[in-house]
Amino acid sequence: MMKAVGYFDSKPIDVEDSLLDLEIDKPIIERLDLLVEVKAVSVNPVDYKVRESRQSESGQPIILGWDAAGVVVEVGEDVQGFKPGDQVYYAGDLMRQGSNAQYHAVDSRLVGLMPKTLSFSQAAALPLTSLTAYEGLFGKLKLPVDKGFNLLLVGGAGGVSLIALQLVKALTKGKVFVTYGRESSKEWLQQLGADGFLDRQQTLLEGMKRLNLPYFDSIFSTTHTKEYIPEFSRIIRPFGDVCLIDDPDVLDIVSLKNKAVSVCWEFMFAKSLHKYEMESQGKILNALADLVDRGKVRSTATTVLKGLAANNFKKAHSILKSGTSSGKIVVEY
């Protein structure tokens, strides 16, 4: 048996049994799995979105958690590249039980060896946002690494944007411009290398003109894309690219046709959901660990809550839902 935090019925987070402290069976691993003793997890918007939409249909609790760092304690018979005792980090699979538990079974192809220079808490903040940022920037937007460009990051202080900014500065010759709402966010973004800022209180066009830019080559939109699309049409170059990660109910992109703009989604769980090129995520996490250990990328952990307890996860869900957090919230076991 092991401790875990989960739920049976989808309820508002302020309801007492919206998340519960549980004792459940330790997972049994499959042939490509690792069994990981979890040391820390970070909490993402996907956690509260799943909690608000998914009900238990089997009588078994739903365990959330899609960002983890820990120690390998068992390897499946077909696993390559891992052994017991390895320190690892990963984002996992949306359709399997999550990592808000003492032990977690995860497909080894989704896992990377943890950066040597980080604690478990610092490492747990990285996988989901880093995979989203890397796949969005280089898989979807196909940003060049050998020539300059102007990239706009919408939602600058969010977890994905903070990593995207660092990856662009570490791996390309491009310039990164970010939207911001609070001065404290602007200061942090400056430290991470942002080349310019667009105040959310102004239109994007006003912000671009203030920066003396003719246009943006690409836009990586992490929030409020539905509202921003008409503005995107005014600030992006002809044949530019827009990548989004949020969940608008409907997205009207007709205004972008005049400039023949390409629009795409990034969803890092698509690979595990469809068993498509899953090994690429382990490779990305290993490459990220190298960047971290060389001082090119910093952890975005800003809040660390101590203890595998329902109250800590309730607090984290509430903060995330409020939209007031900067960086990542981590729960350390």
Side-chain angles (χ1 to χ4, degrees), residues 5-40:
V5 170
Y7 70 99
F8 294 90
D9 299 309
S10 177
K11 297 179 180 179
I13 197 62
D14 57 356
V15 174
E16 185 176 352
D17 59 350
S18 58
L19 290 173
L20 300 165
D21 292 304
L22 302 168
E23 287 273 347
I24 62 173
D25 290 334
K26 190 184 295 187
I28 298 172
I29 62 171
E30 300 174 7
R31 61 185 184 83
L32 284 168
D33 283 350
L34 304 175
L35 183 65
V36 177
E37 182 181 2
V38 180
K39 299 295 187 179

PDB file of all heavy atoms in Angstrom, residues 5-40:
ATOM      1  N   VAL A   5      -3.015  11.220  -2.989  1.00  0.00           N
ATOM      2  CA  VAL A   5      -4.077  12.223  -2.916  1.00  0.00           C
ATOM      3  C   VAL A   5      -4.912  12.091  -4.182  1.00  0.00           C
ATOM      4  O   VAL A   5      -4.367  12.087  -5.297  1.00  0.00           O
ATOM      5  CB  VAL A   5      -3.513  13.648  -2.786  1.00  0.00           C
ATOM      6  CG1 VAL A   5      -4.632  14.686  -2.950  1.00  0.00           C
ATOM      7  CG2 VAL A   5      -2.817  13.826  -1.446  1.00  0.00           C
ATOM      8  N   GLY A   6      -6.232  11.943  -4.029  1.00  0.00           N
ATOM      9  CA  GLY A   6      -7.088  11.780  -5.198  1.00  0.00           C
ATOM     10  C   GLY A   6      -8.525  12.123  -4.871  1.00  0.00           C
ATOM     11  O   GLY A   6      -8.820  12.748  -3.842  1.00  0.00           O
ATOM     12  N   TYR A   7      -9.446  11.691  -5.728  1.00  0.00           N
ATOM     13  CA  TYR A   7     -10.866  11.999  -5.521  1.00  0.00           C
ATOM     14  C   TYR A   7     -11.713  10.975  -6.274  1.00  0.00           C
ATOM     15  O   TYR A   7     -11.214  10.228  -7.127  1.00  0.00           O
ATOM     16  CB  TYR A   7     -11.184  13.422  -6.005  1.00  0.00           C
ATOM     17  CG  TYR A   7     -11.139  13.583  -7.507  1.00  0.00           C
ATOM     18  CD1 TYR A   7     -12.316  13.553  -8.265  1.00  0.00           C
ATOM     19  CD2 TYR A   7      -9.930  13.746  -8.183  1.00  0.00           C
ATOM     20  CE1 TYR A   7     -12.280  13.682  -9.644  1.00  0.00           C
ATOM     21  CE2 TYR A   7      -9.895  13.883  -9.551  1.00  0.00           C
ATOM     22  CZ  TYR A   7     -11.068  13.846 -10.284  1.00  0.00           C
ATOM     23  OH  TYR A   7     -11.033  13.960 -11.651  1.00  0.00           O
ATOM     24  N   PHE A   8     -12.991  10.967  -5.966  1.00  0.00           N
ATOM     25  CA  PHE A   8     -13.952  10.085  -6.644  1.00  0.00           C
ATOM     26  C   PHE A   8     -14.941  10.879  -7.486  1.00  0.00           C
ATOM     27  O   PHE A   8     -15.264  10.493  -8.605  1.00  0.00           O
ATOM     28  CB  PHE A   8     -14.715   9.235  -5.616  1.00  0.00           C
ATOM     29  CG  PHE A   8     -13.845   8.252  -4.886  1.00  0.00           C
ATOM     30  CD1 PHE A   8     -13.216   8.611  -3.704  1.00  0.00           C
ATOM     31  CD2 PHE A   8     -13.648   6.966  -5.385  1.00  0.00           C
ATOM     32  CE1 PHE A   8     -12.409   7.707  -3.024  1.00  0.00           C
ATOM     33  CE2 PHE A   8     -12.845   6.059  -4.717  1.00  0.00           C
ATOM     34  CZ  PHE A   8     -12.225   6.426  -3.535  1.00  0.00           C
ATOM     35  N   ASP A   9     -15.416  11.994  -6.956  1.00  0.00           N
ATOM     36  CA  ASP A   9     -16.429  12.804  -7.635  1.00  0.00           C
ATOM     37  C   ASP A   9     -15.886  14.204  -7.881  1.00  0.00           C
ATOM     38  O   ASP A   9     -15.248  14.797  -7.006  1.00  0.00           O
ATOM     39  CB  ASP A   9     -17.702  12.892  -6.786  1.00  0.00           C
ATOM     40  CG  ASP A   9     -18.324  11.520  -6.554  1.00  0.00           C
ATOM     41  OD1 ASP A   9     -18.523  10.795  -7.540  1.00  0.00           O
ATOM     42  OD2 ASP A   9     -18.586  11.184  -5.381  1.00  0.00           O
ATOM     43  N   SER A  10     -16.170  14.716  -9.054  1.00  0.00           N
ATOM     44  CA  SER A  10     -15.730  16.060  -9.412  1.00  0.00           C
ATOM     45  C   SER A  10     -16.522  17.096  -8.623  1.00  0.00           C
ATOM     46  O   SER A  10     -17.738  17.177  -8.734  1.00  0.00           O
ATOM     47  CB  SER A  10     -15.941  16.275 -10.919  1.00  0.00           C
ATOM     48  OG  SER A  10     -15.590  17.595 -11.282  1.00  0.00           O
ATOM     49  N   LYS A  11     -15.795  17.884  -7.813  1.00  0.00           N
ATOM     50  CA  LYS A  11     -16.436  18.899  -6.972  1.00  0.00           C
ATOM     51  C   LYS A  11     -15.591  20.161  -6.944  1.00  0.00           C
ATOM     52  O   LYS A  11     -14.375  20.110  -7.204  1.00  0.00           O
ATOM     53  CB  LYS A  11     -16.594  18.359  -5.546  1.00  0.00           C
ATOM     54  CG  LYS A  11     -17.491  17.132  -5.435  1.00  0.00           C
ATOM     55  CD  LYS A  11     -17.587  16.645  -4.005  1.00  0.00           C
ATOM     56  CE  LYS A  11     -18.488  15.413  -3.912  1.00  0.00           C
ATOM     57  NZ  LYS A  11     -18.567  14.906  -2.528  1.00  0.00           N
ATOM     58  N   PRO A  12     -16.192  21.309  -6.615  1.00  0.00           N
ATOM     59  CA  PRO A  12     -15.413  22.542  -6.451  1.00  0.00           C
ATOM     60  C   PRO A  12     -14.315  22.349  -5.411  1.00  0.00           C
ATOM     61  O   PRO A  12     -14.486  21.600  -4.443  1.00  0.00           O
ATOM     62  CB  PRO A  12     -16.454  23.566  -5.987  1.00  0.00           C
ATOM     63  CG  PRO A  12     -17.761  23.031  -6.479  1.00  0.00           C
ATOM     64  CD  PRO A  12     -17.636  21.540  -6.412  1.00  0.00           C
ATOM     65  N   ILE A  13     -13.207  23.028  -5.591  1.00  0.00           N
ATOM     66  CA  ILE A  13     -12.040  22.786  -4.752  1.00  0.00           C
ATOM     67  C   ILE A  13     -12.274  23.183  -3.298  1.00  0.00           C
ATOM     68  O   ILE A  13     -11.609  22.676  -2.384  1.00  0.00           O
ATOM     69  CB  ILE A  13     -10.793  23.525  -5.317  1.00  0.00           C
ATOM     70  CG1 ILE A  13      -9.510  22.957  -4.711  1.00  0.00           C
ATOM     71  CG2 ILE A  13     -10.908  25.029  -5.099  1.00  0.00           C
ATOM     72  CD1 ILE A  13      -9.266  21.505  -5.014  1.00  0.00           C
ATOM     73  N   ASP A  14     -13.237  24.068  -3.030  1.00  0.00           N
ATOM     74  CA  ASP A  14     -13.490  24.466  -1.649  1.00  0.00           C
ATOM     75  C   ASP A  14     -14.404  23.506  -0.894  1.00  0.00           C
ATOM     76  O   ASP A  14     -14.667  23.680   0.296  1.00  0.00           O
ATOM     77  CB  ASP A  14     -14.066  25.894  -1.589  1.00  0.00           C
ATOM     78  CG  ASP A  14     -15.345  26.053  -2.397  1.00  0.00           C
ATOM     79  OD1 ASP A  14     -15.754  25.080  -3.064  1.00  0.00           O
ATOM     80  OD2 ASP A  14     -15.923  27.156  -2.380  1.00  0.00           O
ATOM     81  N   VAL A  15     -14.867  22.444  -1.576  1.00  0.00           N
ATOM     82  CA  VAL A  15     -15.645  21.400  -0.915  1.00  0.00           C
ATOM     83  C   VAL A  15     -14.675  20.460  -0.200  1.00  0.00           C
ATOM     84  O   VAL A  15     -13.616  20.116  -0.726  1.00  0.00           O
ATOM     85  CB  VAL A  15     -16.506  20.619  -1.931  1.00  0.00           C
ATOM     86  CG1 VAL A  15     -17.201  19.441  -1.272  1.00  0.00           C
ATOM     87  CG2 VAL A  15     -17.530  21.561  -2.569  1.00  0.00           C
ATOM     88  N   GLU A  16     -15.042  20.023   1.007  1.00  0.00           N
ATOM     89  CA  GLU A  16     -14.109  19.286   1.866  1.00  0.00           C
ATOM     90  C   GLU A  16     -13.519  18.053   1.183  1.00  0.00           C
ATOM     91  O   GLU A  16     -12.322  17.780   1.300  1.00  0.00           O
ATOM     92  CB  GLU A  16     -14.814  18.874   3.163  1.00  0.00           C
ATOM     93  CG  GLU A  16     -13.879  18.200   4.158  1.00  0.00           C
ATOM     94  CD  GLU A  16     -14.560  17.885   5.475  1.00  0.00           C
ATOM     95  OE1 GLU A  16     -15.714  18.325   5.665  1.00  0.00           O
ATOM     96  OE2 GLU A  16     -13.945  17.190   6.310  1.00  0.00           O
ATOM     97  N   ASP A  17     -14.344  17.261   0.464  1.00  0.00           N
ATOM     98  CA  ASP A  17     -13.839  16.022  -0.141  1.00  0.00           C
ATOM     99  C   ASP A  17     -13.543  16.162  -1.635  1.00  0.00           C
ATOM    100  O   ASP A  17     -13.572  15.183  -2.366  1.00  0.00           O
ATOM    101  CB  ASP A  17     -14.800  14.861   0.108  1.00  0.00           C
ATOM    102  CG  ASP A  17     -16.200  15.130  -0.448  1.00  0.00           C
ATOM    103  OD1 ASP A  17     -16.471  16.269  -0.851  1.00  0.00           O
ATOM    104  OD2 ASP A  17     -17.007  14.181  -0.474  1.00  0.00           O
ATOM    105  N   SER A  18     -13.228  17.391  -2.070  1.00  0.00           N
ATOM    106  CA  SER A  18     -12.828  17.582  -3.474  1.00  0.00           C
ATOM    107  C   SER A  18     -11.513  16.869  -3.771  1.00  0.00           C
ATOM    108  O   SER A  18     -11.285  16.378  -4.875  1.00  0.00           O
ATOM    109  CB  SER A  18     -12.705  19.070  -3.806  1.00  0.00           C
ATOM    110  OG  SER A  18     -11.760  19.699  -2.946  1.00  0.00           O
ATOM    111  N   LEU A  19     -10.632  16.803  -2.775  1.00  0.00           N
ATOM    112  CA  LEU A  19      -9.414  15.997  -2.824  1.00  0.00           C
ATOM    113  C   LEU A  19      -9.266  15.313  -1.469  1.00  0.00           C
ATOM    114  O   LEU A  19      -9.551  15.919  -0.431  1.00  0.00           O
ATOM    115  CB  LEU A  19      -8.182  16.862  -3.120  1.00  0.00           C
ATOM    116  CG  LEU A  19      -8.082  17.450  -4.527  1.00  0.00           C
ATOM    117  CD1 LEU A  19      -6.913  18.430  -4.621  1.00  0.00           C
ATOM    118  CD2 LEU A  19      -7.919  16.353  -5.582  1.00  0.00           C
ATOM    119  N   LEU A  20      -8.805  14.057  -1.497  1.00  0.00           N
ATOM    120  CA  LEU A  20      -8.781  13.240  -0.283  1.00  0.00           C
ATOM    121  C   LEU A  20      -7.406  12.629  -0.047  1.00  0.00           C
ATOM    122  O   LEU A  20      -6.695  12.279  -0.997  1.00  0.00           O
ATOM    123  CB  LEU A  20      -9.798  12.101  -0.409  1.00  0.00           C
ATOM    124  CG  LEU A  20     -11.262  12.488  -0.613  1.00  0.00           C
ATOM    125  CD1 LEU A  20     -12.048  11.274  -1.085  1.00  0.00           C
ATOM    126  CD2 LEU A  20     -11.846  13.042   0.682  1.00  0.00           C
ATOM    127  N   ASP A  21      -7.042  12.468   1.206  1.00  0.00           N
ATOM    128  CA  ASP A  21      -5.866  11.673   1.567  1.00  0.00           C
ATOM    129  C   ASP A  21      -6.277  10.200   1.545  1.00  0.00           C
ATOM    130  O   ASP A  21      -7.248   9.810   2.204  1.00  0.00           O
ATOM    131  CB  ASP A  21      -5.371  12.064   2.961  1.00  0.00           C
ATOM    132  CG  ASP A  21      -4.808  13.472   2.996  1.00  0.00           C
ATOM    133  OD1 ASP A  21      -3.892  13.754   2.206  1.00  0.00           O
ATOM    134  OD2 ASP A  21      -5.296  14.284   3.809  1.00  0.00           O
ATOM    135  N   LEU A  22      -5.524   9.388   0.767  1.00  0.00           N
ATOM    136  CA  LEU A  22      -5.925   8.004   0.520  1.00  0.00           C
ATOM    137  C   LEU A  22      -4.790   7.032   0.807  1.00  0.00           C
ATOM    138  O   LEU A  22      -3.605   7.407   0.804  1.00  0.00           O
ATOM    139  CB  LEU A  22      -6.339   7.843  -0.949  1.00  0.00           C
ATOM    140  CG  LEU A  22      -7.477   8.742  -1.462  1.00  0.00           C
ATOM    141  CD1 LEU A  22      -7.551   8.667  -2.979  1.00  0.00           C
ATOM    142  CD2 LEU A  22      -8.797   8.331  -0.828  1.00  0.00           C
ATOM    143  N   GLU A  23      -5.153   5.774   1.029  1.00  0.00           N
ATOM    144  CA  GLU A  23      -4.213   4.642   1.037  1.00  0.00           C
ATOM    145  C   GLU A  23      -4.655   3.715  -0.089  1.00  0.00           C
ATOM    146  O   GLU A  23      -5.778   3.201  -0.072  1.00  0.00           O
ATOM    147  CB  GLU A  23      -4.267   3.899   2.372  1.00  0.00           C
ATOM    148  CG  GLU A  23      -3.616   4.638   3.526  1.00  0.00           C
ATOM    149  CD  GLU A  23      -2.114   4.359   3.634  1.00  0.00           C
ATOM    150  OE1 GLU A  23      -1.656   3.400   2.970  1.00  0.00           O
ATOM    151  OE2 GLU A  23      -1.435   5.102   4.355  1.00  0.00           O
ATOM    152  N   ILE A  24      -3.806   3.519  -1.097  1.00  0.00           N
ATOM    153  CA  ILE A  24      -4.165   2.693  -2.244  1.00  0.00           C
ATOM    154  C   ILE A  24      -3.039   1.709  -2.551  1.00  0.00           C
ATOM    155  O   ILE A  24      -1.935   1.812  -2.008  1.00  0.00           O
ATOM    156  CB  ILE A  24      -4.460   3.553  -3.497  1.00  0.00           C
ATOM    157  CG1 ILE A  24      -3.206   4.341  -3.919  1.00  0.00           C
ATOM    158  CG2 ILE A  24      -5.627   4.508  -3.243  1.00  0.00           C
ATOM    159  CD1 ILE A  24      -3.375   5.083  -5.237  1.00  0.00           C
ATOM    160  N   ASP A  25      -3.326   0.754  -3.433  1.00  0.00           N
ATOM    161  CA  ASP A  25      -2.315  -0.235  -3.821  1.00  0.00           C
ATOM    162  C   ASP A  25      -1.188   0.430  -4.593  1.00  0.00           C
ATOM    163  O   ASP A  25      -1.404   1.334  -5.408  1.00  0.00           O
ATOM    164  CB  ASP A  25      -2.945  -1.321  -4.693  1.00  0.00           C
ATOM    165  CG  ASP A  25      -3.895  -2.219  -3.921  1.00  0.00           C
ATOM    166  OD1 ASP A  25      -3.708  -2.353  -2.697  1.00  0.00           O
ATOM    167  OD2 ASP A  25      -4.827  -2.761  -4.546  1.00  0.00           O
ATOM    168  N   LYS A  26       0.009  -0.067  -4.365  1.00  0.00           N
ATOM    169  CA  LYS A  26       1.159   0.382  -5.146  1.00  0.00           C
ATOM    170  C   LYS A  26       0.977  -0.088  -6.593  1.00  0.00           C
ATOM    171  O   LYS A  26       0.523  -1.208  -6.834  1.00  0.00           O
ATOM    172  CB  LYS A  26       2.449  -0.195  -4.555  1.00  0.00           C
ATOM    173  CG  LYS A  26       3.734   0.386  -5.139  1.00  0.00           C
ATOM    174  CD  LYS A  26       4.968  -0.311  -4.569  1.00  0.00           C
ATOM    175  CE  LYS A  26       5.137  -0.077  -3.092  1.00  0.00           C
ATOM    176  NZ  LYS A  26       6.451  -0.627  -2.614  1.00  0.00           N
ATOM    177  N   PRO A  27       1.305   0.748  -7.591  1.00  0.00           N
ATOM    178  CA  PRO A  27       1.068   0.338  -8.982  1.00  0.00           C
ATOM    179  C   PRO A  27       1.935  -0.851  -9.408  1.00  0.00           C
ATOM    180  O   PRO A  27       3.046  -1.041  -8.913  1.00  0.00           O
ATOM    181  CB  PRO A  27       1.423   1.591  -9.793  1.00  0.00           C
ATOM    182  CG  PRO A  27       2.154   2.492  -8.886  1.00  0.00           C
ATOM    183  CD  PRO A  27       1.826   2.116  -7.481  1.00  0.00           C
ATOM    184  N   ILE A  28       1.399  -1.636 -10.337  1.00  0.00           N
ATOM    185  CA  ILE A  28       2.132  -2.733 -10.972  1.00  0.00           C
ATOM    186  C   ILE A  28       2.602  -2.249 -12.334  1.00  0.00           C
ATOM    187  O   ILE A  28       1.806  -1.770 -13.144  1.00  0.00           O
ATOM    188  CB  ILE A  28       1.231  -3.973 -11.127  1.00  0.00           C
ATOM    189  CG1 ILE A  28       0.784  -4.470  -9.755  1.00  0.00           C
ATOM    190  CG2 ILE A  28       1.960  -5.081 -11.894  1.00  0.00           C
ATOM    191  CD1 ILE A  28      -0.264  -5.559  -9.805  1.00  0.00           C
ATOM    192  N   ILE A  29       3.885  -2.368 -12.603  1.00  0.00           N
ATOM    193  CA  ILE A  29       4.426  -1.801 -13.838  1.00  0.00           C
ATOM    194  C   ILE A  29       4.271  -2.760 -15.019  1.00  0.00           C
ATOM    195  O   ILE A  29       4.216  -3.982 -14.854  1.00  0.00           O
ATOM    196  CB  ILE A  29       5.906  -1.391 -13.683  1.00  0.00           C
ATOM    197  CG1 ILE A  29       6.801  -2.601 -13.368  1.00  0.00           C
ATOM    198  CG2 ILE A  29       6.051  -0.316 -12.611  1.00  0.00           C
ATOM    199  CD1 ILE A  29       8.294  -2.267 -13.417  1.00  0.00           C
ATOM    200  N   GLU A  30       4.219  -2.165 -16.220  1.00  0.00           N
ATOM    201  CA  GLU A  30       4.189  -2.908 -17.466  1.00  0.00           C
ATOM    202  C   GLU A  30       5.608  -3.004 -18.023  1.00  0.00           C
ATOM    203  O   GLU A  30       6.562  -2.467 -17.451  1.00  0.00           O
ATOM    204  CB  GLU A  30       3.231  -2.223 -18.439  1.00  0.00           C
ATOM    205  CG  GLU A  30       1.799  -2.148 -17.907  1.00  0.00           C
ATOM    206  CD  GLU A  30       0.873  -1.355 -18.802  1.00  0.00           C
ATOM    207  OE1 GLU A  30       1.292  -0.955 -19.915  1.00  0.00           O
ATOM    208  OE2 GLU A  30      -0.275  -1.117 -18.388  1.00  0.00           O
ATOM    209  N   ARG A  31       5.762  -3.681 -19.166  1.00  0.00           N
ATOM    210  CA  ARG A  31       7.105  -4.042 -19.657  1.00  0.00           C
ATOM    211  C   ARG A  31       7.993  -2.839 -20.001  1.00  0.00           C
ATOM    212  O   ARG A  31       9.219  -2.924 -19.932  1.00  0.00           O
ATOM    213  CB  ARG A  31       6.985  -4.954 -20.882  1.00  0.00           C
ATOM    214  CG  ARG A  31       6.259  -4.345 -22.062  1.00  0.00           C
ATOM    215  CD  ARG A  31       6.068  -5.322 -23.204  1.00  0.00           C
ATOM    216  NE  ARG A  31       5.453  -4.684 -24.355  1.00  0.00           N
ATOM    217  CZ  ARG A  31       6.121  -3.984 -25.272  1.00  0.00           C
ATOM    218  NH1 ARG A  31       7.435  -3.869 -25.171  1.00  0.00           N
ATOM    219  NH2 ARG A  31       5.494  -3.416 -26.278  1.00  0.00           N
ATOM    220  N   LEU A  32       7.376  -1.687 -20.380  1.00  0.00           N
ATOM    221  CA  LEU A  32       8.164  -0.501 -20.719  1.00  0.00           C
ATOM    222  C   LEU A  32       8.143   0.549 -19.613  1.00  0.00           C
ATOM    223  O   LEU A  32       8.602   1.670 -19.799  1.00  0.00           O
ATOM    224  CB  LEU A  32       7.661   0.121 -22.026  1.00  0.00           C
ATOM    225  CG  LEU A  32       8.065  -0.612 -23.309  1.00  0.00           C
ATOM    226  CD1 LEU A  32       7.288  -0.077 -24.496  1.00  0.00           C
ATOM    227  CD2 LEU A  32       9.574  -0.488 -23.545  1.00  0.00           C
ATOM    228  N   ASP A  33       7.613   0.179 -18.458  1.00  0.00           N
ATOM    229  CA  ASP A  33       7.430   1.145 -17.371  1.00  0.00           C
ATOM    230  C   ASP A  33       8.616   1.223 -16.423  1.00  0.00           C
ATOM    231  O   ASP A  33       9.397   0.275 -16.283  1.00  0.00           O
ATOM    232  CB  ASP A  33       6.204   0.771 -16.529  1.00  0.00           C
ATOM    233  CG  ASP A  33       4.896   1.124 -17.187  1.00  0.00           C
ATOM    234  OD1 ASP A  33       4.912   1.828 -18.218  1.00  0.00           O
ATOM    235  OD2 ASP A  33       3.851   0.698 -16.659  1.00  0.00           O
ATOM    236  N   LEU A  34       8.662   2.352 -15.734  1.00  0.00           N
ATOM    237  CA  LEU A  34       9.472   2.525 -14.539  1.00  0.00           C
ATOM    238  C   LEU A  34       8.527   2.675 -13.354  1.00  0.00           C
ATOM    239  O   LEU A  34       7.465   3.282 -13.480  1.00  0.00           O
ATOM    240  CB  LEU A  34      10.329   3.791 -14.633  1.00  0.00           C
ATOM    241  CG  LEU A  34      11.268   3.946 -15.814  1.00  0.00           C
ATOM    242  CD1 LEU A  34      11.929   5.324 -15.778  1.00  0.00           C
ATOM    243  CD2 LEU A  34      12.318   2.849 -15.834  1.00  0.00           C
ATOM    244  N   LEU A  35       8.909   2.117 -12.228  1.00  0.00           N
ATOM    245  CA  LEU A  35       8.234   2.445 -10.976  1.00  0.00           C
ATOM    246  C   LEU A  35       9.116   3.458 -10.264  1.00  0.00           C
ATOM    247  O   LEU A  35      10.283   3.183  -9.976  1.00  0.00           O
ATOM    248  CB  LEU A  35       8.026   1.210 -10.104  1.00  0.00           C
ATOM    249  CG  LEU A  35       7.247   1.476  -8.806  1.00  0.00           C
ATOM    250  CD1 LEU A  35       5.819   1.911  -9.113  1.00  0.00           C
ATOM    251  CD2 LEU A  35       7.250   0.236  -7.911  1.00  0.00           C
ATOM    252  N   VAL A  36       8.557   4.632 -10.011  1.00  0.00           N
ATOM    253  CA  VAL A  36       9.323   5.740  -9.446  1.00  0.00           C
ATOM    254  C   VAL A  36       8.818   6.045  -8.044  1.00  0.00           C
ATOM    255  O   VAL A  36       7.597   6.166  -7.822  1.00  0.00           O
ATOM    256  CB  VAL A  36       9.190   6.994 -10.337  1.00  0.00           C
ATOM    257  CG1 VAL A  36       9.928   8.182  -9.716  1.00  0.00           C
ATOM    258  CG2 VAL A  36       9.728   6.714 -11.739  1.00  0.00           C
ATOM    259  N   GLU A  37       9.732   6.156  -7.102  1.00  0.00           N
ATOM    260  CA  GLU A  37       9.393   6.702  -5.794  1.00  0.00           C
ATOM    261  C   GLU A  37       9.401   8.220  -5.930  1.00  0.00           C
ATOM    262  O   GLU A  37      10.452   8.829  -6.134  1.00  0.00           O
ATOM    263  CB  GLU A  37      10.399   6.259  -4.726  1.00  0.00           C
ATOM    264  CG  GLU A  37      10.043   6.773  -3.344  1.00  0.00           C
ATOM    265  CD  GLU A  37      11.055   6.353  -2.289  1.00  0.00           C
ATOM    266  OE1 GLU A  37      12.052   5.703  -2.622  1.00  0.00           O
ATOM    267  OE2 GLU A  37      10.818   6.695  -1.112  1.00  0.00           O
ATOM    268  N   VAL A  38       8.237   8.813  -5.878  1.00  0.00           N
ATOM    269  CA  VAL A  38       8.094  10.240  -6.171  1.00  0.00           C
ATOM    270  C   VAL A  38       8.595  11.066  -4.986  1.00  0.00           C
ATOM    271  O   VAL A  38       8.237  10.814  -3.840  1.00  0.00           O
ATOM    272  CB  VAL A  38       6.627  10.590  -6.481  1.00  0.00           C
ATOM    273  CG1 VAL A  38       6.482  12.079  -6.797  1.00  0.00           C
ATOM    274  CG2 VAL A  38       6.117   9.745  -7.645  1.00  0.00           C
ATOM    275  N   LYS A  39       9.414  12.068  -5.304  1.00  0.00           N
ATOM    276  CA  LYS A  39       9.956  12.957  -4.277  1.00  0.00           C
ATOM    277  C   LYS A  39       9.314  14.344  -4.316  1.00  0.00           C
ATOM    278  O   LYS A  39       9.263  15.036  -3.289  1.00  0.00           O
ATOM    279  CB  LYS A  39      11.471  13.098  -4.451  1.00  0.00           C
ATOM    280  CG  LYS A  39      12.250  11.793  -4.321  1.00  0.00           C
ATOM    281  CD  LYS A  39      12.160  11.223  -2.921  1.00  0.00           C
ATOM    282  CE  LYS A  39      13.074  10.009  -2.747  1.00  0.00           C
ATOM    283  NZ  LYS A  39      13.003   9.459  -1.378  1.00  0.00           N
ATOM    284  N   ALA A  40       8.865  14.758  -5.494  1.00  0.00           N
ATOM    285  CA  ALA A  40       8.221  16.071  -5.629  1.00  0.00           C
ATOM    286  C   ALA A  40       7.404  16.086  -6.905  1.00  0.00           C
ATOM    287  O   ALA A  40       7.737  15.397  -7.880  1.00  0.00           O
ATOM    288  CB  ALA A  40       9.262  17.190  -5.655  1.00  0.00           C
TER     289      ALA A  40
END
